[in-house]
């Protein structure tokens, strides 16, 4: 089911939680709405679901106007962060619920319900637990039941609001691999909300980065990560370093930077260079950046340096490949750094 969002906006008591925005999601795509707390992700998801009325704009499902339809009329499968299972019903009955409450004429026969729920139970790998109550399940198992329940109604789309938010890191990781597999097997158009950039980049076909009620960038995980469209996106997606400077006469200059860097798409004035720790390499002194090692961190398979740069308020993080570095620079040592990848954005210092 293709979803089109056209000029949709939402205010709460005069506060613009969502500024007018457009989004087109082709059928079968797995999309992440990613952004910091308060950026409007859940509001957008709820507007798509029909759980909230829009102030303006249209939501189209498969080319048809669904703006005034309820969640049930849109046939949306919705998974909440906190399970929302019926505590007194077994796993089986929780999954069967959406089928049993259909009007009599549309309700499948008992044998069909059983066959369908059993199929879903094996899809979410919970067949052995079909008679348990939610209280007798782990958090990850409960979320798998919630997903099976959302899929039982043959939804037009699956919408998931921070589905793994309440789980610990290891379970989150396992469940996201599993959700990807389920998505590939079932092919539902799926939109999930997350504030975890790693989860979004790892799982989704497409990442919609949100900030202050707007879409900052929308693209494949690779494109938003490697060509961020704004300083916000660069900073939000993964670890980043910022070097403050200025653009004038088509070049960027900054304290600590030996040579000016030519820029062609950045207006004159205060600007910042953004670079990731793994895109900085140790180099001979004199080229690139002149820095001083403030701390050396040894993590599994990797050495990271905290370096300070004269004239820059913020220190930089630099990854040094762990293997083969017989002797990484020591604390207090002066080093040269080469910037292998970076982006420069016009902006005042944060
Ligand atoms: P989080 O990751 O914290 O859930 P989010 O990106 O999903 O954040 P939303 O829940 O969409 O953000 O909220 C966007 C903004 O709208 C926030 O500033 C929030 O306080 C506000 N907001 C959301 N729902 C309501 C409401 N029912 N009444 C008033 N303000 C609301």
């Amino acid at each position: 089911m293709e979803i089109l969002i056209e000029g949709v906006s939402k205010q709460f008591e005069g506060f613009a939680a969502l500024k007018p925005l457009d989004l087109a999601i082709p059928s079968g795509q797995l999309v992440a709405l990613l952004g910091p707390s308060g950026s409007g992700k859940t509001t957008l998801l709820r507007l798509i679901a029909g759980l909230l009325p829009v102030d303006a704009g249209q939501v189209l499902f498969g080319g048809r106007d669904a703006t005034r339809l309820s969640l049930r009329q849109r046939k949306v499968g919705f998974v909440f962060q906190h399970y929302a299972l019926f505590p007194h019903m077994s796993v089986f009955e929780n999954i069967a619920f959406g089928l049993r409450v259909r009007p009599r004429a549309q309700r499948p026969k008992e044998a069909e319900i059983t066959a369908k729920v059993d199929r879903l139970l094996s899809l979410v790998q919970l067949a052995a637990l079909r008679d348990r109550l939610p209280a007798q399940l782990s958090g990850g198992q409960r979320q798998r039941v919630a997903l099976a329940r959302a899929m039982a109604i043959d939804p037009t789309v699956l919408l998931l609001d921070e589905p793994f938010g309440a789980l610990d890191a290891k379970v989150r990781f396992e469940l996201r691999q599993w959700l990807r597999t389920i998505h590939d097997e079932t092919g539902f158009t799926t939109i999930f909300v997350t504030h975890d950039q790693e989860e979004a980049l790892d799982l989704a076909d497409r990442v919609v980065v949100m900030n202050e009620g707007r879409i900052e960038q929308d693209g494949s995980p690779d494109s938003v990560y490697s060509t961020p469209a704004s300083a916000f996106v660069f900073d939000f997606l993964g670890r980043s370093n910022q070097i403050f400077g200025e653009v004038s006469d088509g070049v960027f200059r900054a304290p600590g930077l030996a040579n000016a860097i030519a820029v062609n798409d950045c207006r004159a004035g205060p600007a910042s260079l953004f670079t990731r720790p793994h895109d900085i390499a140790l180099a001979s002194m004199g080229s690139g950046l002149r820095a001083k090692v403030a701390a050396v961190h040894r993590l599994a398979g990797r050495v990271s340096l905290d370096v300070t740069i004269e004239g820059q308020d913020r220190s930089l993080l630099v990854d040094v490949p762990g293997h083969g570095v017989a002797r990484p620079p020591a604390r207090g040592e002066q080093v040269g750094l080469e910037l292998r990848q970076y982006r420069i954005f016009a902006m005042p210092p944060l």
Side-chain angles (χ1 to χ4, degrees):
M1 176 69 72
E2 177 206 28
I3 302 172
L4 267 183
I5 293 147
E6 294 179 343
V8 159
S9 64
K10 185 74 190 173
Q11 293 205 352
F12 293 111
E13 292 142 25
F15 170 75
L18 218 55
K19 297 166 186 141
L21 59 82
D22 301 324
L23 187 62
I25 298 173
S27 194
Q29 213 169 41
L30 178 52
V31 178
L33 301 181
L34 171 70
S37 184
S39 55
K41 312 177 293 289
T42 298
T43 302
L44 178 56
L45 195 76
R46 295 174 86 86
L47 292 172
I48 298 171
L51 287 167
L52 263 182
V54 301
D55 289 348
Q58 274 197 316
V59 179
L60 291 102
F61 275 40
R64 290 179 48 197
D65 187 1
T67 317
R68 313 267 162 249
L69 302 183
S70 67
L71 175 107
R72 198 181 274 188
Q73 289 166 321
R74 292 180 198 194
K75 275 188 81 184
V76 162
F78 201 93
V79 177
F80 294 89
Q81 177 173 356
H82 290 288
Y83 326 124
L85 300 179
F86 300 114
H88 56 287
M89 285 186 193
S90 67
V91 164
F92 182 95
E93 288 303 328
N94 262 286
I95 299 172
F97 180 79
L99 300 172
R100 291 207 197 288
V101 296
R102 280 191 185 162
R104 189 174 288 272
Q106 294 160 26
R107 198 179 309 155
K109 296 204 175 61
E110 195 54 37
E112 284 172 46
I113 294 181
T114 305
K116 178 163 212 175
V117 174
D118 281 338
R119 232 182 10 255
L120 284 164
L121 277 167
S122 65
L123 183 69
V124 299
Q125 294 161 9
L126 287 176
L129 307 183
R130 78 200 284 278
D131 298 321
R132 288 217 190 153
L133 292 173
Q136 298 168 315
L137 302 176
S138 71
Q141 289 165 342
R142 278 182 227 170
Q143 249 348 28
R144 278 147 59 187
V145 177
L147 189 69
R149 191 175 64 172
M151 288 192 288
I153 59 161
D154 294 322
T156 47
V157 294
L158 269 179
L159 305 180
L160 301 93
D161 190 1
E162 294 261 8
F164 312 135
L167 304 170
D168 70 49
K170 184 164 175 289
V171 180
R172 281 180 84 110
F173 183 75
E174 285 166 9
L175 277 190
R176 78 180 190 236
Q177 309 301 323
W178 170 85
L179 180 63
R180 180 74 236 185
T181 310
I182 297 245
H183 176 267
D184 293 345
E185 280 174 26
T186 57
F188 287 117
T189 308
T190 303
I191 308 174
F192 71 100
V193 160
T194 182
H195 61 263
D196 178 343
Q197 41 95 11
E198 194 181 295
E199 188 166 287
L201 295 173
D202 187 29
L203 180 55
D205 296 322
R206 173 171 168 200
V207 179
V208 177
V209 186
M210 299 191 60
N211 182 32
E212 296 182 346
R214 286 179 298 103
I215 294 176
E216 284 268 343
Q217 194 169 357
D218 173 9
S220 69
D222 282 346
S223 71
V224 292
Y225 183 78
S226 42
T227 46
S230 65
F232 171 83
V233 176
F234 202 115
D235 202 34
F236 190 68
L237 288 185
R239 300 175 306 151
S240 73
N241 293 304
Q242 191 176 357
I243 298 166
F244 299 110
E246 184 140 329
V247 168
S248 62
D249 304 324
V251 294
F252 174 78
R253 291 187 181 83
L257 199 58
N259 303 316
I261 297 175
V263 290
N264 47 21
D265 56 355
C266 184
R267 69 179 138 77
S272 281
L273 179 150
F274 285 80
T275 180
R276 304 210 184 274
H278 57 256
D279 288 329
I280 307 176
L282 291 171
S284 56
M285 290 287 280
S287 69
L289 281 166
R290 293 178 295 266
K292 185 174 171 184
V293 179
V296 181
H297 307 286
R298 288 174 184 281
L299 303 164
R302 171 173 104 199
V303 176
S304 293
L305 310 175
D306 254 329
V307 302
T308 53
I309 292 169
E310 216 177 294
Q312 296 285 342
D313 290 342
R314 289 196 186 177
S315 62
L316 262 56
L317 197 61
V318 179
D319 284 348
V320 185
H323 302 291
V325 180
R327 193 194 71 85
R331 192 152 70 92
E333 207 172 304
Q334 299 280 343
V335 290
L337 300 173
E338 180 200 344
L339 301 171
R340 287 191 296 210
Q341 286 226 49
Y342 52 82
R343 303 266 297 174
I344 295 166
F345 297 105
M347 63 183 295
L350 292 178

